[in-house]
Amino acid sequence: MTDPARIPLRVSLRLDLPSGGRVGPGKVALLEAIATDGSISAAARALKMSYTRAWGLVEALDAALGTPVVTRAPGGVKGGGAALTEAGRALVARYRAVEAAAQRRAGPPPG
Amino acid sequence: MTDPARIPLRVSLRLDLPSGGRVGPGKVALLEAIATDGSISAAARALKMSYTRAWGLVEALDAALGTPVVTRAPGGVKGGGAALTEAGRALVARYRAVEAAAQRRAGPPPG
């Protein structure tokens, strides 16, 4: 395990935007959880973060991209839901594609 | 600049090792500066960090890999120099190769 050319590595990626915004694994996982769970509060619970923090991350992403990443449906009996905008989906897809390319180059990650 | 599929991105990479060690852009830049400058103190000056901090980063890398990344030449009239070990060179090469693969997939970086 001491040959750095062969040691298994897990890639962790951050994308730096021209706006100064940064997109890393935490924000991407949050967007994916919002897409899965259909609400920011459920996604926050799933990731064990406060709603305030989750909302702050979404706002940081909106600001970084200059366009909303999450759309909120009108409230109703069950309250309003949330979904990714097309921009949000495109950001997640691009992050995961770049991450996969990097991990492929690095080789299989640690067990 | 609001289409996340096209916005220029700069990739920043961290490699997580099975030992729990992490290798990011700062440590890699330090190793490259040691290779260029031939000493830890000169590399620290070039990167505007203290010698203590530079030495701590080298020790963290040694521990993460389980093998030294920097070799120190015997002292002499000019004092001992430092160079990368083969493991240190392999680590830098691998990091830069993975980073390049990720940046290729992301497309041309900003600016």
Side-chain angles (χ1 to χ4, degrees):
Chain A
M1 294 288 278
T2 58
D3 180 353
R6 296 173 190 281
I7 198 167
L9 301 171
R10 187 174 303 279
V11 163
S12 179
L13 190 71
R14 197 186 71 207
L15 303 177
D16 294 342
L17 282 69
S19 62
R22 297 172 164 195
V23 180
K27 287 175 185 156
V28 171
L30 175 61
L31 291 182
E32 289 173 331
I34 291 169
T36 300
D37 297 333
S39 90
I40 295 176
S41 56
R45 276 195 303 276
L47 296 177
K48 300 185 201 309
M49 68 172 71
S50 70
Y51 179 80
T52 305
R53 172 157 171 73
W55 187 248
L57 292 175
V58 169
E59 285 193 315
L61 283 166
D62 290 351
L65 294 176
T67 193
V69 293
V70 170
T71 178
R72 289 172 62 78
V77 173
K78 299 171 63 184
L84 301 193
T85 61
E86 190 172 321
R89 286 193 298 273
L91 180 67
V92 170
R94 196 168 172 202
Y95 180 93
R96 291 300 184 201
V98 174
E99 182 186 50
Q103 189 67 64
R104 265 196 306 278
R105 181 63 182 79
Chain B
M1 295 289 278
T2 58
D3 179 355
R6 296 172 190 279
I7 198 167
L9 301 171
R10 187 175 304 279
V11 163
S12 179
L13 193 71
R14 196 186 71 207
L15 302 177
D16 294 342
L17 282 70
S19 62
R22 297 172 165 194
V23 181
K27 287 174 185 156
V28 171
L30 175 62
L31 291 182
E32 289 173 331
I34 291 169
T36 299
D37 296 334
S39 91
I40 295 177
S41 56
R45 276 195 302 276
L47 296 177
K48 300 186 201 307
M49 68 172 71
S50 70
Y51 179 81
T52 304
R53 172 156 173 74
W55 187 246
L57 292 175
V58 168
E59 285 192 315
L61 283 166
D62 289 351
L65 293 177
T67 192
V69 293
V70 170
T71 179
R72 288 172 62 80
V77 174
K78 298 169 62 182
L84 301 193
T85 61
E86 189 170 324
R89 285 193 298 273
L91 180 67
V92 169
R94 196 168 173 203
Y95 180 93
R96 292 299 184 200
V98 174
E99 181 186 52
Q103 189 67 63
R104 266 195 305 278
R105 182 63 183 79

